Amino acid sequence: MNLRARVVIVGGGVMGTSIAWHLARAGVRDVVLVERDELAAGSTSRAAGGVRAQFSDELNIRLGARSLEAFGRFGQEVGQDIGLHRVGYLFLLSTPEQVASFEAGVRLQNTLGVPSRPITPREARDLSPLITTDGLLAAAYSPDDGHCAPEAVVHGYASAARAHGARILRHTEVTGIELDGDTITAVTTTSGRIETDTVICAAGAWSRAVGAMAGVELPVRPLRRQIAVTEPVPGLPPTLPMTIDFTTSLYFHGEGPGLLLGMSDPDERPGFDTGTHDRWIPRLAEAMTRRAPALLDLRRTGGWAGLYENTPDHNALIGEAPTVSRFLYATGFSGHGFLQGPAVGEVVRDLYLGRVPFLDISPLSAGRFAADAPRPEANLV
Ligand SMILES: Cc1cc2nc3c(=O)[nH]c(=O)nc-3n(C[C@H](O)[C@H](O)[C@H](O)COP(=O)(O)OP(=O)(O)OC[C@H]3O[C@@H](n4cnc5c(N)ncnc54)[C@H](O)[C@@H]3O)c2cc1C
C-alpha cells in the first residue's frame, strides 16, 4: 500500500472517528484514519458510556454540554441509533467540602446553560432508590446528562465519515512518522507508507508513543479501571440516573435489565494490562455496604477492564504541537473522553482548518505543564 493523504488520524476510538467525520463532512478530502485493531477496540468500547456536563472546569462543562447536544441529534445528523438515555447524573455528597465544591460547580454550570441543581438526600433517594441516605449531606443532579452506547457512536461516526469519502484502515499500526526538518512528510504503517503533511494523534492511552514518533511529548499514562455487570434487577426504574457516590467513587447505571457498576482502585499502578482481576471486589463491596447495600445481593454476570488515559492534571490534551508542522493531538482525556467526543471532533476540525473553534481550547495544550499552568478538574469519577 502506498497512499497519499491530506490528513492521517491515528486511532479509531471515539476521538479518531469523530475527527474523521467532522473533517470529511467539512469537505476535507483524502482523510485517512489508521487503527491497529478493530474500531473502538481501545478505551472507547470499555467505557461506562456516561455523558455529562456536570464538571468544575468551564472548558469541560462547555465541551460536555456541546457534546450532549450532538448526542441528542446523532440519529438525524450521523444516522445511527446510539441508545441515548437522558436519565441524568446524580452525585452523592457526604462532606461539607464536597457540598461547597459541587454548589460552586452548579452555579458555574447554570451560568453556562446547564440545568444542574443541588438536591436533598431524600430527593436523591427518590431518583435512585437503591441508595441509602445514611451519612449523605446533599446531592447534585443534572437531568440532561445520561449514558449511551460507545461502540454505536464509533460505528456511526465511522460509517458516516466513509460516506463523506474518508478512508479507514483497520488492523494497520502506525509505526513511525517521517520528518523533513520540522515538517511531516509521511507516516509509516504495518501496511505501507502514507505520504502526508498532517498527523492527528487520537491514540488514547497509547498516545505518548505516537507523540514520540514526531518528537512531541504527550504526557499520557495508562491506568486500568474495571466494570462489573449484574443480573437483572427487579423493579429497576427506567429513569435511574447515573449514580455516583463521590466519596468512594462507586457508580452505577442501568444496563439493559441489570446494572453496570464501577469504581476506582487506589492499588492500581500505571500500565497497559487490561486483564480483569478480583482484587478490587472487597473495596467495591465495602462501598456498596456504605452507600447502596441493595447492590450486595446482586449476582455479577460479567465485566471487563479498560484503560484510563491519565495526564498529570487529569484533563485532556488538545492542540497542535508548536515544534512540528503539522502535528495535532486530542488525547489524555483521563476517563472522561467518551462524553467529549463530538465537541472535540468539532474543535480539532477547526484547528485543522484554521477556523476559530467554538471555545478557546489553548489552556488544554500539552505545553501547559512546562508552562506550569495545569488545569485540574474536580468532578472526576
Ligand atoms: C472502565 C472505563 C470506564 C469509562 N467510562 C467513561 C464514561 O462513562 N464516560 C466517558 O466520557 N469516558 C469514560 N471512559 C473514558 C473513555 O473510554 C476514554 O476517555 C475515551 O474512550 C478515549 O477515546 P479515544 O478515542 O481518545 O481513545 P481510544 O478509544 O483508546 O482509541 C485509541 C485507539 O488508538 C489505537 N492506536 C493506538 N496506537 C496506535 C498506533 N500506533 N497505530 C494505530 N492505532 C493505534 C488503539 O488501538 C485505540 O483503538 C471510561 C474508560 C474506562 C476504561
Side-chain angles (χ1 to χ4, degrees):
M1 178 195 77
N2 267 315
L3 276 180
R4 189 184 292 265
R6 226 61 28 125
V7 184
V8 174
I9 300 166
V10 188
V14 68
M15 288 304 159
T17 53
S18 169
I19 294 165
W21 178 72
H22 279 91
L23 287 175
R25 186 169 178 249
V28 180
R29 299 172 71 84
D30 304 324
V31 173
V32 176
L33 183 154
V34 186
E35 165 57 51
R36 68 178 168 202
D37 199 320
E38 293 293 345
L39 292 175
S43 300
T44 302
S45 62
R46 316 296 168 93
V51 293
R52 62 171 163 135
Q54 263 195 99
F55 284 96
S56 67
D57 180 325
E58 176 173 345
L59 291 177
N60 287 333
I61 298 169
R62 293 180 64 195
L63 288 168
R66 186 84 160 191
S67 293
L68 281 171
E69 286 172 19
F71 285 128
R73 51 173 201 271
F74 208 90
Q76 309 98 281
E77 196 170 56
V78 185
Q80 172 83 38
D81 177 9
I82 56 168
L84 179 61
H85 297 274
R86 275 301 206 3
V87 287
Y89 250 68
L90 176 67
F91 284 95
L92 306 172
L93 312 171
S94 355
T95 69
E97 294 74 28
Q98 289 172 7
V99 175
S101 163
F102 273 79
E103 280 176 355
V106 163
R107 279 195 295 276
L108 179 59
Q109 291 150 23
N110 291 171
T111 64
L112 297 168
V114 175
S116 51
R117 59 179 194 268
I119 61 172
T120 64
R122 174 75 197 271
E123 289 171 308
R125 192 164 194 281
D126 288 345
L127 287 165
S128 190
L130 295 169
I131 64 163
T132 165
T133 56
D134 293 352
L136 272 194
L137 294 181
Y141 175 62
S142 192
D144 272 7
D145 298 343
H147 54 90
C148 60
E151 285 176 327
V153 171
V154 167
H155 291 296
Y157 274 141
S159 305
R162 280 194 194 100
H164 283 288
R167 181 147 182 203
I168 295 182
L169 306 176
R170 292 176 302 129
H171 304 289
T172 302
E173 181 166 358
V174 170
T175 51
I177 296 173
E178 294 178 9
L179 295 160
D180 179 5
D182 64 0
T183 303
I184 291 173
T185 53
V187 164
T188 51
T189 79
T190 46
S191 309
R193 193 166 172 273
I194 309 173
E195 277 181 39
T196 189
D197 62 11
T198 303
V199 171
I200 301 178
C201 174
W206 302 270
S207 293
R208 187 187 284 269
V210 174
M213 293 174 192
V216 175
E217 197 187 340
L218 295 174
V220 179
R221 286 213 301 185
L223 189 71
R224 173 168 49 189
R225 292 282 292 241
Q226 296 203 73
I227 278 182
V229 179
T230 77
E231 64 182 330
V233 185
L236 195 67
T239 54
L240 184 81
M242 169 75 114
T243 304
I244 297 141
D245 181 39
F246 199 64
T247 300
T248 59
S249 83
L250 166 69
Y251 66 84
F252 56 89
H253 70 66
E255 181 80 350
L259 290 176
L260 175 158
L261 45 94
M263 202 174 98
S264 64
D265 178 356
D267 291 334
E268 202 63 74
R269 293 289 164 265
F272 288 102
D273 188 356
T274 54
T276 55
H277 63 73
D278 277 352
R279 292 192 302 275
W280 69 307
I281 297 298
R283 207 176 256 124
L284 181 68
E286 213 175 288
M288 290 172 172
T289 308
R290 177 196 152 95
R291 188 48 59 222
L295 300 182
L296 291 166
D297 300 331
L298 298 174
R299 199 165 50 89
R300 192 163 37 123
T301 54
W304 61 83
L307 299 175
Y308 269 25
E309 66 294 49
N310 287 339
T311 64
D313 60 6
H314 296 262
N315 230 340
L317 308 175
I318 305 171
E320 179 163 358
T323 48
V324 183
S325 171
R326 300 195 68 183
F327 183 92
L328 291 87
Y329 52 85
T331 182
F333 292 91
S334 306
H336 50 271
F338 171 61
L339 66 92
Q340 296 190 347
V344 172
E346 186 187 336
V347 166
V348 173
R349 174 201 66 198
D350 291 343
L351 293 180
Y352 172 77
L353 291 172
R355 295 181 186 161
V356 179
F358 78 93
L359 84 175
D360 175 11
I361 210 72
S362 57
L364 293 179
S365 82
R368 70 183 180 271
F369 302 107
D372 202 19
R375 187 89 193 183
E377 164 59 52
N379 298 7
L380 295 171
V381 183

